[in-house]
Amino acid sequence: MKVTIELFGASRDFSNQDSIEINIENNSTIKDVRDKMLDYLHSNFKGNENFIKIVNSSVFCSKDNIISDNYKITNHEKIAIIPPIGGG
């Protein structure tokens, strides 16, 4: 299934748009999204360590609520990544 990750703060450097779309398996969790985002960074930014730190230290939210790494994602859900102040 496809999920849209809205980019905020330092994560906006991951794309020239305000979001990225990734494909994940059904019943995926935020941890799976983190892993897919890290794959995306390795492919598109040669494993930029600063970007990796941003993904690993960020929180994710859905419908204005912070969600945990074991949160199950629904089809076509919009998720936001919110990096810590200072970018990581």
Side-chain angles (χ1 to χ4, degrees):
M1 81 178 134
K2 196 174 283 192
V3 65
T4 300
I5 308 297
E6 296 181 79
L7 306 172
F8 291 92
S11 69
R12 292 244 169 140
D13 290 338
F14 298 172
S15 175
N16 60 0
Q17 299 184 0
D18 293 338
S19 65
I20 58 174
E21 286 188 347
I22 59 172
N23 288 311
I24 56 173
E25 299 293 323
N26 289 339
N27 297 314
S28 289
T29 64
I30 290 298
K31 182 181 180 333
D32 299 318
V33 169
R34 277 188 207 276
D35 292 343
K36 286 287 189 175
M37 289 188 73
L38 293 173
D39 291 344
Y40 169 86
L41 295 176
H42 284 294
S43 295
N44 293 286
F45 297 98
K46 298 184 181 179
N48 180 312
E49 290 298 321
N50 290 326
F51 287 0
I52 290 169
K53 286 179 186 176
I54 290 168
V55 170
N56 287 328
S57 62
S58 293
V59 295
F60 289 79
C61 71
S62 176
K63 301 174 190 156
D64 296 327
N65 293 309
I66 293 177
I67 50 180
S68 69
D69 273 9
N70 61 359
Y71 175 87
K72 295 240 187 219
I73 298 166
T74 60
N75 199 23
H76 297 291
E77 186 169 359
K78 285 188 181 179
I79 305 290
I81 181 172
I82 304 172
I85 295 173

